[in-house]
Amino acid sequence: MSDSISVSPGWLEKSVGSVFTAAGLSPSAAGKVAAGLVEADLRGTPSHGVMLVPMYVERLRKGSVSTHETADVVHDAGAIAVLDARHALGQLTGDQAMTLAVDKARAHGIGAVAVRRAFHFGGAYRYARLAASAGCIGIAAANTRPLMPAPGGAAAVVGNNPLAVGVPREHGAPILLDMALSQAALGKIRLAAQEGRPIPPTWATDRTGTPTTDPTEALVGLLLPAAGHKGYGLALVVDILTGVLSGGGYGGGVRGLYADTSAPNDCAHFFLALDVSAFGDSAGFEERVTTLAGQITGSPKAPNTERLLLPGQLEAERQDTARRTGVPLDRSVLAALRGTAASVGVEIGDPAVPRRGEPRLDEPRTPGPGRFRSDSTPT
């Protein structure tokens, strides 16, 4: 039996949304969070997808994530703003912050918004794409708990911090760079340990800071930055742009998502929008981007290479395919979603996508908003 099942995207969004509605969010806010999580699965990045629902709900229950749906503006200086997210779900305050950055870019040519007391916002590409869809170059970044050492170090001092850049295109999807800054994802190391195979020595260290090829040792050691000192430097800069600049959590002040779900994650975010038209030649910009993209995708290919891709192109193609054929969802993730739904009084039905015709969009049965509330008062 396969470890995954294809489910209807519409069914999955409604199911996840009903869970968050029962957990205390408005239906509109719950739908936004659900759409962001499901889209990550559609794009082939399940680490940012529906697998996070149980942890999100547990944090809502324990009060380390609040049911606030907007961040407070605590500083506004023309093109610049600082927001206090009040530990709300990051998909909500991330959309708010980048929308504000775009509005400021429309007025000033550039908009920069830093967010403190934030929480996990899913895929960083979402916010870069939001800016790109408005005709802006968008940058989105977040910090995480320390996971990587400085070059030669034996202690985690910088996070595996995500950084995304979106570039608008008149024809075609935006160019979307979205990357974390470790050489390899922790999930790849876990998989190697399960399969009993070695890992490259550039992926991680053991607990002493010595590079290792043993994935078991790596799991109790440290991730290594991509490109060595370059990845480390970028991770440090992201920590400064997010936590240090906003007055929020940074370095060891950012807590792990799973470490203590009763304690706020306290990460920070940074959003930048550059209005292309403010540079005086938006039509020329679009033409140059199209030319540059064509130069890349039309360049000579190495042996055994079928095609050359732009950043974000493969994920967008996966999303288009999954919208038609169903979201690949690991059975363990589906089981965890069912369990979490039951814990908040929601019953979800059969998620299977029919072989013929349109995918089923069975409505989950929910007791309505407000049935489940946090055990403690949200901060």
Side-chain angles (χ1 to χ4, degrees):
M1 181 181 291
S2 172
D3 289 331
S4 66
I5 183 173
S6 290
V7 306
S8 158
W11 176 89
L12 190 57
E13 282 191 25
K14 290 179 181 179
S15 297
V16 173
S18 69
V19 170
F20 285 118
T21 300
L25 297 181
S26 70
S28 174
K32 288 180 181 179
V33 176
L37 295 175
V38 172
E39 186 182 49
D41 284 303
L42 286 166
R43 291 172 66 87
T45 53
S47 60
H48 289 69
V50 173
M51 67 171 289
L52 296 171
V53 172
M55 182 267 290
Y56 279 19
V57 171
E58 182 180 359
R59 282 186 167 276
L60 283 163
R61 178 183 293 116
K62 293 183 176 180
S64 63
V65 167
S66 74
T67 54
H68 295 306
E69 298 181 3
T70 58
D72 289 336
V73 179
V74 295
H75 179 72
D76 193 325
I80 294 169
V82 178
L83 306 186
D84 181 347
R86 303 186 290 172
H87 306 301
L89 288 166
Q91 288 85 353
L92 303 176
T93 60
D95 282 351
Q96 176 189 357
M98 184 54 96
T99 299
L100 179 58
V102 169
D103 288 344
K104 288 181 173 297
R106 288 278 184 258
H108 304 285
I110 183 171
V113 178
V115 184
R116 65 190 183 216
R117 294 212 302 164
F119 181 65
H120 189 262
F121 66 8
Y125 71 89
R126 297 181 66 247
Y127 313 102
R129 184 182 62 194
L130 189 158
S133 67
C136 295
I137 295 174
I139 298 176
N143 61 1
T144 74
R145 69 180 177 93
L147 289 167
M148 303 187 297
V157 293
V158 293
N160 189 14
N161 300 330
L163 175 66
V165 181
V167 179
R169 287 201 295 165
E170 184 178 17
H171 304 291
I175 296 173
L176 278 179
L177 171 68
D178 185 2
M179 62 181 185
L181 296 172
S182 66
Q183 180 67 31
L186 192 59
K188 290 185 177 181
I189 297 174
R190 288 198 179 104
L191 182 60
Q194 292 171 7
E195 296 177 351
R197 55 180 172 81
I199 60 173
T202 55
W203 282 15
T205 76
D206 61 20
R207 66 182 72 223
T208 70
T210 303
T212 182
T213 60
D214 184 340
T216 303
E217 290 293 325
L219 289 174
V220 295
L222 304 167
L223 292 179
L224 284 172
H229 65 282
K230 297 178 182 179
Y232 154 74
L234 276 174
L236 176 60
V237 167
V238 169
D239 209 6
I240 293 169
L241 288 174
T242 55
V244 175
L245 190 61
S246 70
Y250 61 91
V254 182
R255 301 177 182 90
L257 289 175
Y258 293 91
D260 179 359
T261 53
S262 66
N265 172 234
D266 208 21
C267 69
H269 303 153
F270 177 77
F271 304 90
L272 180 71
L274 297 172
D275 185 356
V276 170
S277 65
F279 287 77
D281 186 17
S282 58
F285 172 85
E286 293 165 359
E287 180 180 344
R288 292 188 293 272
V289 168
T290 299
T291 299
L292 178 59
Q295 289 175 353
I296 293 169
T297 58
S299 63
K301 297 182 287 290
N304 303 316
T305 300
E306 292 185 6
R307 57 183 180 143
L308 303 176
L309 301 171
L310 297 170
Q313 182 178 342
L314 184 60
E315 291 82 1
E317 291 174 356
R318 287 175 183 158
Q319 181 173 345
D320 288 342
T321 299
R323 281 287 180 197
R324 296 190 304 270
T325 63
V327 187
L329 198 66
D330 192 274
R331 291 179 186 274
S332 65
V333 173
L334 179 58
L337 176 62
R338 286 185 183 279
T340 300
S343 76
V344 296
V346 174
E347 181 183 349
I348 59 177
D350 180 8
V353 176
R355 292 183 179 180
R356 296 180 183 275
E358 293 297 318
R360 289 178 60 185
L361 301 180
D362 303 311
E363 287 281 0
R365 292 191 294 275
T366 174
R371 164 148 184 164
F372 164 68
R373 295 289 179 178
S374 301
D375 291 337
S376 57
T377 303
T379 56

